[in-house]
Amino acid sequence: MDRNRQLSLHFQTPTKLKHQGRFLEGAPPFHVVVRSLMRRVSSLSYFHCGERWETDFKGWIEQAERVAIVEAASHWVEHTRFSTRQQRHMKLSGVTGAVTYKGDVAPFIPLLRLGELIHVGKGAVFGNGKYQIRVASGG
């Protein structure tokens, strides 16, 4: 029996993800979320632990590209914060809402669970990119 064939990500704070040089304004494809999380984990590992994260990045991305969006209830929100250092308002916009993905998601669950803690995308250090996973079992 296939387990963990479907999951939803509920983006709780504006999530801004970039793919092919452009920020996505709609529901992010699964592989874009995975790419961004892998970059974030890799950077955190290198800069805060002094270790390179060794994994098959290309293989993970190829596998993530086979996971499809089956439902999206997401929307773009505009959010700003004031930077005292720069003395101006900064845009921290992004996607909020839920996106449901279907495919072989089980191998990605540990990475996605870590992402719940470290957030994903631009502005993660300011609290953007916070999401919660809901995993559904079965086909």
Side-chain angles (χ1 to χ4, degrees), residues 22-82:
R22 296 181 40 203
F23 287 108
L24 303 179
E25 293 187 14
F30 189 74
H31 71 92
V32 173
V33 174
V34 168
R35 287 171 193 262
S36 185
L37 279 172
M38 290 175 70
R39 274 192 304 273
R40 181 135 169 83
V41 170
S42 181
S43 292
L44 288 172
S45 176
Y46 182 77
F47 290 110
H48 293 282
C49 301
E51 299 285 332
R52 291 192 182 275
W53 182 35
E54 301 292 337
T55 192
D56 179 12
F57 291 97
K58 185 178 179 197
W60 281 108
I61 291 166
E62 287 173 357
Q63 189 174 355
E65 287 174 335
R66 295 191 289 270
V67 175
I69 294 174
V70 292
E71 187 177 346
S74 61
H75 58 279
W76 185 262
V77 294
E78 295 289 332
H79 177 69
T80 60
R81 73 170 191 88
F82 186 75

Side-chain angles (χ1 to χ4, degrees), residues 84-127:
T84 54
R85 184 178 65 81
Q86 296 183 28
Q87 291 297 304
R88 65 182 182 105
H89 283 84
M90 310 291 292
K91 282 190 175 183
L92 292 176
S93 308
V95 172
T96 61
V99 182
T100 302
Y101 303 95
K102 187 171 187 176
D104 188 10
V105 296
F108 298 97
I109 291 174
L111 177 65
L112 293 168
R113 291 283 183 213
L114 178 58
E116 285 182 307
L117 301 173
I118 64 173
H119 301 187
V120 65
K122 184 175 170 93
V125 297
F126 296 111

